[in-house]
Amino acid sequence: MSKAQSEKKNSIDKDISQDVVTRFAPSPTGVLHIGGARTALFNYLFARQNNGRFILRLEDTDKERSKKECEEDIIRSLKWLGLDWDKSYKQSERKEIYKKYINHLIKKRRAYISKEVTGNRATVIRFKNPCTKISFQDLIRGQIEFDTTELGDFVIAKDENTPLFHLTGAIDDYEMKISHIIRGEDHISNTPRQILIQQALDFSSPIYSHIPLILGPDRSKLSKRHGAVSLKEYKDIGYLSEALINFLAFLGWNPGTEKEIFSLEELIKEFSLKQVQKSGAIFNIEKLNWINKQYIMKKNLEELAVELIYFLPEKWREKAENEKKFWRKIAGLERERISTLSEIGESINYFFEEPNYEKEKLLWKNEKSLNNVEVYLKKIIEMLSKLSEKEFTSHNIKELIWDYAEKQGRGNVLWPLRVSLTGLEKSPEPFIISEILGQTETIRRIQNAINKL
């Protein structure tokens, strides 16, 4: 960390003189997406780092658009990420609180019932704008100032039983004692309205931090055209929650060091809003794949093998579940070859099914005679038959065959061995595959190749 970054970090730490309470306030009108998950993470890290509280608030007052399944997805996704909250609220259960404040604003003449036609509704409740200048200190962007005159008298409720976003947010932030609001920069324009409401109700204002938007590689706002967006999609593709947390933290934040792999505990210790950039954070799928691969390699093999089973075609799952040693060896082999768990099913069918190929495929590029191939394969069977089942390991198999392959030409001997076992031109070493398949199955497949000839 540079001296400038260190001083910047320390300056914010000095500003924290109150109990820290942050909130993640999604609207359950859609599933949890990458941008929302990053916002939740930053709020979580800041709260935990300062021994504060992290609140989940479902802003579900829009009856028509809010959906139960979206609410469940948000909760399920946050739990999958490991972002536990201290308390949760649903705005739909707080209507009486909002009604009290609406009536209070009307009584104080800071809001009024406006007779107008908006759709099928004859009246709305508008906030009486004092038309003043609002300024606030943003921990990421510095001093921000607005002239609220241009906002006019804005709508805060459809009626006393139907409050809208700006009002409910300002009331809840006060009632829930939110000390710091960390949210996307697209909410900057909402801040002056909420501050006006806070002032009208004699509320103190939280400290604001507006984090950069997540952009696609073309620097446009991240959307479905850039690939998967929802957390569930990333989970279904086979990204590990620990890897996604690590990746999300780097979307706008930089630790100031060369270190790139951080556990959640390390992020809690190292994260700082003062090291969050102002410019947009570019979503780099290659970087996510690299981080995910690091976590796959670090993961306990027993746990990884269990998780990988769910990404297999259904017809193979029973065998993987019942033959744990067999499946664990495959998982150990493939973990070095995959970046997401879903890639496991793309190239391992030969472990579960007899490979299908034409006999000409058994010919190495320098070998012209199928008769020679038959000789090589018969010799391999003869050598492999000398090993006991216990001795049938990749090391012993390679040691047994290697000298013969060197003498006859490695490609001439090892190529048809590989093809007979996998049917593929590219695969892990045939010695490793032989060990996983076992002696009986290995010899059977080589014999089947001979039968083709």
Side-chain angles (χ1 to χ4, degrees):
M1 186 185 301
S2 68
K3 182 179 179 182
Q5 287 173 320
S6 180
E7 289 174 352
K8 196 178 180 187
K9 181 180 187 299
N10 290 338
S11 68
I12 184 173
D13 295 339
K14 291 175 184 176
D15 293 338
I16 303 170
S17 57
Q18 62 191 113
D19 292 337
V20 169
V21 184
T22 66
R23 46 74 161 179
F24 175 52
S27 174
T29 55
V31 296
L32 185 62
H33 52 77
I34 282 292
R38 195 269 307 259
T39 297
L41 174 63
F42 281 20
N43 277 279
Y44 175 88
L45 294 176
F46 188 77
R48 294 291 178 255
Q49 184 181 74
N50 292 287
N51 298 314
R53 291 185 296 130
F54 173 58
I55 288 173
L56 171 62
R57 186 171 79 212
L58 295 167
E59 301 196 337
D60 61 343
T61 53
D62 189 334
K63 295 179 183 177
E64 295 177 0
R65 296 179 62 223
S66 295
K67 298 176 183 177
K68 182 68 175 176
E69 58 268 30
C70 294
E71 178 185 318
E72 292 171 349
D73 175 84
I74 291 167
I75 291 172
R76 187 167 50 245
S77 296
L78 289 175
K79 286 182 177 179
W80 176 64
L81 289 175
L83 304 182
D84 56 302
W85 51 92
D86 298 290
K87 196 162 187 179
S88 65
Y89 298 89
K90 292 177 68 172
Q91 287 188 334
S92 60
E93 298 172 352
R94 298 171 56 79
K95 290 183 178 179
E96 289 304 312
I97 296 172
Y98 308 135
K99 185 176 180 179
K100 177 186 73 172
Y101 282 109
I102 288 172
N103 289 328
H104 179 69
L105 286 169
I106 292 173
K107 187 176 179 180
K108 285 183 63 179
R109 297 185 178 179
R110 300 305 303 271
Y112 60 91
I113 298 172
S114 175
K115 297 185 181 296
E116 55 192 76
V117 178
T118 32
N120 297 322
R121 193 174 296 279
T123 62
V124 294
I125 298 172
R126 288 185 175 273
F127 181 82
K128 191 173 182 180
N129 188 348
C131 298
T132 184
K133 287 186 177 181
I134 292 289
S135 67
F136 64 95
Q137 185 71 19
D138 189 292
L139 292 181
I140 294 172
R141 298 168 188 280
Q143 192 75 14
I144 296 177
E145 186 172 292
F146 282 93
D147 185 339
T148 67
T149 304
E150 61 188 47
L151 300 178
D153 290 354
F154 53 92
V155 179
I156 58 173
K158 294 179 180 179
D159 54 51
E160 65 177 11
N161 294 309
T162 316
L164 298 179
F165 168 75
H166 295 301
L167 181 67
T168 57
I171 292 170
D172 282 346
D173 289 337
Y174 171 75
E175 291 266 335
M176 296 170 191
K177 297 180 171 56
I178 303 301
S179 65
H180 293 74
I181 292 177
I182 304 168
R183 58 188 181 183
E185 66 178 28
D186 49 334
H187 284 281
I188 291 177
S189 60
N190 295 326
T191 307
R193 292 179 176 87
Q194 291 170 337
I195 290 177
L196 286 175
I197 294 170
Q198 291 161 6
Q199 292 176 347
L201 291 170
D202 296 321
F203 294 167
S204 59
S205 292
I207 298 169
Y208 290 93
S209 302
H210 289 93
I211 59 182
L213 294 180
I214 301 175
L215 307 178
D218 59 357
R219 302 196 72 82
S220 64
K221 190 173 180 180
L222 191 69
S223 66
K224 287 185 178 180
R225 66 191 178 88
H226 295 111
V229 174
S230 74
L231 263 289
K232 185 180 183 303
E233 287 178 276
Y234 284 95
K235 183 180 180 182
D236 291 345
I237 290 170
Y239 290 98
L240 300 178
S241 59
E242 313 96 292
L244 203 54
I245 283 284
N246 194 150
F247 175 73
L248 289 173
F250 275 76
L251 289 176
W253 172 74
N254 189 313
T257 67
E258 296 299 314
K259 184 176 179 179
E260 295 183 285
I261 302 300
F262 285 81
S263 67
L264 186 56
E265 292 72 24
E266 290 172 323
L267 287 171
I268 290 171
K269 183 180 178 182
E270 298 295 332
F271 180 77
S272 170
L273 287 172
K274 286 294 185 179
Q275 291 165 268
V276 174
Q277 65 194 41
K278 296 179 184 178
S279 57
I282 305 298
F283 187 95
N284 185 334
I285 192 67
E286 287 78 18
K287 188 68 172 182
L288 173 57
N289 289 339
W290 179 83
I291 291 174
N292 201 57
K293 188 174 186 66
Q294 308 312 304
Y295 279 90
I296 287 174
M297 293 300 295
K298 288 170 59 176
K299 198 167 185 68
N300 175 277
L301 183 56
E302 293 277 353
E303 294 176 7
L304 179 65
V306 171
E307 290 191 43
L308 283 170
I309 287 176
Y310 296 100
F311 291 89
L312 289 175
E314 194 170 341
K315 60 183 177 179
W316 297 344
R317 289 179 191 169
E318 186 177 352
K319 182 178 175 66
E321 287 171 346
N322 293 337
E323 300 181 29
K324 290 184 171 58
K325 186 177 179 181
F326 165 75
W327 175 240
R328 195 161 54 246
K329 285 184 177 181
I330 297 173
L333 175 64
E334 291 298 308
R335 75 189 304 171
E336 298 182 8
R337 300 160 60 84
I338 61 175
S339 295
T340 65
L341 302 187
S342 62
E343 293 174 5
I344 191 68
E346 294 179 2
S347 61
I348 62 166
N349 57 309
Y350 57 84
F351 283 118
F352 296 89
E353 298 173 354
E354 179 80 25
N356 185 26
Y357 55 90
E358 298 296 324
K359 63 182 180 181
E360 287 75 19
K361 198 171 185 178
L362 292 162
L363 282 169
W364 175 240
K365 58 185 178 182
N366 295 324
E367 179 59 71
K368 306 298 182 184
S369 171
L370 287 173
N371 290 332
N372 287 343
V373 173
E374 182 176 353
V375 171
Y376 303 145
L377 293 178
K378 283 183 175 179
K379 182 63 176 178
I380 290 172
I381 289 179
E382 178 187 328
M383 289 187 286
L384 294 181
S385 299
K386 295 177 180 178
L387 294 172
S388 67
E389 188 175 341
K390 188 176 181 180
E391 294 171 330
F392 204 76
T393 65
S394 59
H395 173 77
N396 290 339
I397 295 166
K398 183 175 183 178
E399 196 171 67
L400 198 64
I401 295 174
W402 195 255
D403 286 346
Y404 178 69
E406 287 274 285
K407 183 178 178 182
Q408 302 298 330
R410 275 182 284 175
N412 292 337
V413 174
L414 300 182
W415 177 268
L417 174 59
R418 179 195 301 276
V419 172
S420 66
L421 298 179
T422 69
L424 302 174
E425 295 179 2
K426 293 182 179 179
S427 71
E429 287 188 351
F431 318 114
I432 298 172
I433 295 170
S434 297
E435 178 185 332
I436 295 173
L437 289 174
Q439 187 175 35
T440 301
E441 179 64 14
T442 296
I443 291 175
R444 189 184 71 81
R445 290 192 182 191
I446 299 171
Q447 185 59 55
N448 287 344
I450 293 170
N451 295 342
K452 284 179 180 284
L453 301 173

